[in-house]
Amino acid sequence: MRFAYLLVLALPLMAQTGVVPPMPPQSKWVTPAMTAAQSLAESTAKANPTDRLTAETSNYADTGSYEEALSFCKRLAARFPAQARVIEFGRTAENRPLVILALSKDGAFTPEAAKRTGKNIVLLQNGIHPGEVGGKDASLMLARDILVSKRFAKWLDQSIILILPVFNADGHENRSLYHRINQNGPRETGFRATAQRLNLNRDYMKADAPEMKAWLKMYNRWLPDFLVDNHVTDGQDAQYDVTIDVPVEGPVSPEASEWAKHYYVPFLNQEMKALGHIIGPYVPQMIFSPRYSQGYAALRNRQALLVETHSLKPYRVQVWSHYDIMRITLDAMGEFGKDLKQAVVNAEKNDGDGQQKAWPVDWKLGGEAYTHQFLGLKSDAIKSELSGGTYAVYQAEPLEIPIKWYPHWEPVSVDAPLRYVIPQAWNSVAETLRLHGVKVDVAAKDSTVEANGYRLMNPKWSAAPFEGRHMVEFSVEALSNKLRIAAGDFVVDMKQPNARVAHHLLEPAGVDSLVKWGTMNAIFERKEYFSAYVFEPIAAAMLQQNPEIKARFEAKLKAEPAFAQSPAQRLNWLYEQSPYAEKTRGLYPILRQ
Ligand SMILES: [Zn+2]
């Protein structure tokens, strides 16, 4: 069915336009080290011909199918059952299996067994954007180098390695010659979004996609200390073969930030440069909130690396950069993995100690800006006959381009309560929290307590949907009241290691809060209306009986001519003052105690 649909779409397009895949766009800056891609060549040379991937046998013109990745993992697991196992952790929207290949010297193939080893757990994740798939080929080659040639068997002394070959497996199989116009190979690539047209790398918090729901359950069980998320960036041609982001600001814990600043990032930069890579921070500088992979790992008190190899470098160079950066990261886990584990333990203890804290929920780039030298290329601005504007043509000449860089992410912080109370009618919210590994209790009996909460006013929705949701901005008024907790309501005690995730999802000001993502839009809607002929005598009686309302009404008529001239606005204002007006509109249903 799907196949037939593709044919119908693709064939007429090619016939009408005569567009055939052109020469791929090429970077003007490919160094001898990049061309040699020595570590990749060594890996291929040491592998049996039957163990080589499509990427290798096609000299990096192509990448294999999802089936190739699955059968590659299964074959390794069958040959090395004591050290490797394929674990299915869920299904995609199109019912493809989602798997991790777990590598453990101790045969620790359950999260419980893995924890007992005391080793750090590293998750190597690929194909969240399946057009950007060099990480898949590189991580499968690394698995082969650990198990078959045993070149990197030492990593398993320190680490348990989980390889997710392709996260967006449906997107990976939605292949075309015409995806990724800016990319220099592989020839045919998958599509950025899932079969439900969702971008998984915006879905970590709202968790709409079945793939993300499955991933969160897997993540909660294994709780990897370190996550590598492999991507390929486009944008301007530059010297860099790889740019990165490691959370040291933003949703990261102070402990995990210190670990990255003092141990991991300097080590990574130094070792990658020694191998001939040109590495730098991800550009443009941006805020990675928890909707993104590395922001999410940071909010979970762990660490992560966003890898962005460059789309204009040949596919072989992309795979080489993924291969080496994961290699150096696994070396780093041998050197500093114990310190990271300790940082995670300390951060969780700190978050879950039950002391009320103010945690950041939104950020802006701030502090005194300085100049970051971007390792770019000289370019000429060429006048375009087509657009009337100009476009850049890059030259094979390095150029340092000064760009503005901010030292800090200035946080907006909100005090955490001791507990949140979620009315049982909002069980969808409780379910999402549980998906994130938050412990949610159920009240056994009715009670009355002091609580505070919010009224959310002046909602403004985004005009266009974003990731299947209409996000909403609003102003916030704090309220305090007596709260009746009914048996069956959900209670989130903040004395738990996962408190910060609950806080971000439930505080309306959270940039990725559930209410901002538009999952609770009904709270803003007006549900009751009046007929003028019914309300007119009631309003007249109300003004007669209530001189205070009458005075305010008359003042408003004098002060606001537009209001005075609008019969509908006048009646509506009076309705809002009456006991018939809805008291619960805009009331945020989740309360803080
Ligand atoms: Zn990407």
Side-chain angles (χ1 to χ4, degrees):
M1 191 59 196
R2 207 157 55 235
F3 186 58
Y5 175 64
L6 282 177
L7 279 180
V8 168
L9 272 179
L11 286 178
L13 182 77
M14 285 168 74
Q16 283 162 24
T17 62
V19 171
V20 292
M23 278 284 287
Q26 317 223 350
S27 175
K28 286 284 166 52
W29 195 254
V30 179
T31 63
M34 293 176 194
T35 304
Q38 198 188 333
S39 51
L40 277 193
E42 282 169 13
S43 175
T44 303
K46 288 204 160 57
N48 293 326
T50 50
D51 282 343
R52 290 179 187 150
L53 295 158
T54 298
E56 297 170 282
T57 57
S58 69
N59 197 23
Y60 297 92
D62 292 309
T63 190
S65 64
Y66 186 51
E67 183 49 43
E68 177 185 83
L70 286 181
S71 58
F72 189 91
C73 293
K74 284 180 194 158
R75 278 205 317 279
L76 284 180
R79 280 156 70 190
F80 302 94
Q83 293 174 71
R85 185 171 294 176
V86 175
I87 301 165
E88 181 178 328
F89 66 89
R91 290 269 161 167
T92 66
E94 292 182 331
N95 203 33
R96 289 189 174 85
L98 287 169
V99 303
I100 47 173
L101 173 66
L103 304 178
S104 163
K105 193 182 176 180
D106 318 280
F109 299 127
T110 63
E112 297 71 29
K115 263 165 218 131
R116 279 197 297 273
T117 67
K119 293 180 178 177
N120 55 67
I121 302 176
V122 183
L123 172 58
L124 306 176
Q125 176 170 297
N126 308 290
I128 191 169
H129 296 149
E132 312 166 11
V133 84
K136 173 196 68 173
D137 285 318
S139 58
L140 296 178
M141 291 166 78
L142 286 172
R144 182 182 69 198
D145 295 338
I146 293 167
L147 296 170
V148 186
S149 74
K150 310 212 185 298
R151 294 206 298 158
F152 303 125
K154 62 169 182 182
W155 289 333
L156 299 185
D157 295 340
Q158 316 287 344
S159 302
I160 290 166
I161 302 170
L162 309 176
I163 295 174
L164 202 181
V166 181
F167 186 4
N168 178 4
D170 292 348
H172 188 275
E173 294 309 276
N174 177 5
R175 288 165 74 111
S176 167
L177 297 165
Y178 297 102
H179 295 154
R180 303 285 294 169
I181 188 172
N182 294 330
Q183 193 164 296
N184 186 354
R187 216 162 46 92
E188 196 178 73
T189 70
F191 185 64
R192 184 174 181 80
T194 65
Q196 296 173 328
R197 290 190 70 80
L198 294 174
N199 179 347
L200 292 176
N201 206 23
R202 308 290 183 271
D203 199 37
Y204 280 90
M205 291 296 267
K206 68 184 169 66
D208 282 334
E211 293 86 352
M212 185 55 74
K213 290 186 165 89
W215 186 95
L216 287 169
K217 286 178 193 160
M218 181 272 291
Y219 192 86
N220 292 333
R221 294 195 63 220
W222 287 89
L223 289 173
D225 303 285
F226 199 92
L227 165 69
V228 177
D229 194 30
N230 283 306
H231 293 250
V232 183
T233 191
D234 31 32
Q236 64 179 290
D237 197 3
Q239 298 169 55
Y240 300 103
D241 60 291
V242 60
T243 53
I244 61 167
D245 183 69
V246 178
V248 293
E249 296 273 340
V252 68
S253 73
E255 293 86 351
S257 169
E258 290 301 306
W259 178 84
K261 277 193 280 201
H262 291 140
Y263 297 123
Y264 175 64
V265 175
F267 180 81
L268 186 70
N269 283 324
Q270 179 193 312
E271 297 294 310
M272 285 295 282
K273 283 175 189 162
L275 292 170
H277 292 277
I278 304 178
I279 185 170
Y282 182 77
V283 171
Q285 187 182 23
M286 62 178 272
I287 301 287
F288 287 102
S289 74
R291 75 181 61 167
Y292 300 97
S293 55
Q294 79 272 33
Y296 185 72
L299 188 68
R300 296 293 298 264
N301 285 320
R302 283 155 175 81
Q303 259 303 358
L305 167 69
L306 171 76
V307 179
E308 296 276 3
T309 59
H310 203 284
S311 64
L312 293 179
K313 308 289 190 234
Y315 187 54
R316 180 188 165 90
V317 177
Q318 296 169 32
V319 179
W320 172 64
S321 311
H322 288 290
Y323 182 90
D324 279 349
I325 205 164
M326 287 191 280
R327 202 152 68 89
I328 300 305
T329 296
L330 288 162
D331 283 344
M333 296 310 290
E335 299 276 329
F336 319 116
K338 283 199 171 66
D339 304 282
L340 175 58
K341 270 194 104 59
Q342 195 55 50
V344 171
V345 168
N346 293 348
E348 290 207 323
K349 201 183 282 174
N350 195 18
D351 277 6
D353 65 4
Q355 302 292 313
Q356 284 181 280
K357 301 180 184 71
W359 280 316
V361 290
D362 198 358
W363 301 268
K364 281 198 301 282
L365 294 176
E368 201 171 319
Y370 61 94
T371 301
H372 167 67
Q373 296 294 351
F374 179 77
L375 303 181
L377 295 174
K378 192 168 172 284
S379 67
D380 297 325
I382 304 295
K383 179 120 180 66
S384 163
E385 296 286 322
L386 299 178
S387 72
T390 60
Y391 63 96
V393 171
Y394 291 95
Q395 307 300 325
E397 198 177 318
L399 178 69
E400 290 199 0
I401 302 168
I403 54 177
K404 210 175 188 182
W405 209 260
Y406 292 92
H408 299 299
W409 298 12
E410 301 295 343
V412 174
S413 295
V414 177
D415 288 343
L418 291 172
R419 56 189 68 83
Y420 289 99
V421 179
I422 305 167
Q424 58 184 313
W426 289 94
N427 61 340
S428 56
V429 172
E431 268 171 38
T432 304
L433 290 174
R434 283 176 173 148
L435 259 181
H436 287 275
V438 173
K439 188 170 165 289
V440 180
D441 302 320
V442 178
K445 55 179 183 8
D446 298 356
S447 58
T448 304
V449 295
E450 294 287 335
N452 58 69
Y454 305 107
R455 187 181 292 278
L456 310 181
M457 294 170 306
N458 311 311
K460 298 263 183 318
W461 283 271
S462 60
F466 177 62
E467 290 307 316
R469 296 278 182 186
H470 281 270
M471 293 194 79
V472 60
E473 293 292 334
F474 37 75
S475 56
V476 178
E477 183 193 3
L479 305 171
S480 65
N481 44 12
K482 284 251 191 265
L483 168 67
R484 294 231 317 267
I485 300 176
D489 286 350
F490 302 103
V491 179
V492 180
D493 191 329
M494 293 296 274
K495 202 168 176 176
Q496 60 172 302
N498 230 350
R500 252 181 341 127
V501 184
H503 179 256
H504 195 111
L505 286 166
L506 298 180
E507 283 302 326
V511 62
D512 286 317
S513 68
L514 291 173
V515 67
K516 272 205 180 158
W517 267 109
T519 68
M520 303 168 81
N521 281 342
I523 65 172
F524 299 106
E525 293 172 30
R526 182 168 172 179
K527 299 295 184 187
E528 289 275 6
Y529 297 87
F530 61 87
S531 297
Y533 75 91
V534 174
F535 185 56
E536 183 80 27
I538 298 172
M542 179 175 78
L543 289 183
Q544 208 164 34
Q545 287 157 20
N546 197 322
E548 186 268 331
I549 295 177
K550 187 163 189 268
R552 281 197 288 128
F553 182 55
E554 280 165 0
K556 199 169 166 68
L557 288 175
K558 277 206 191 94
E560 298 175 31
F563 174 78
Q565 279 157 30
S566 165
Q569 280 187 40
R570 286 165 63 152
L571 274 192
N572 199 53
W573 186 88
L574 289 167
Y575 172 77
E576 293 294 338
Q577 316 309 310
S578 82
Y580 293 96
E582 283 175 61
K583 296 290 181 286
T584 50
R585 182 148 64 110
L587 210 56
Y588 186 56
I590 295 153
L591 288 158
R592 299 155 40 93
Q593 203 199 336

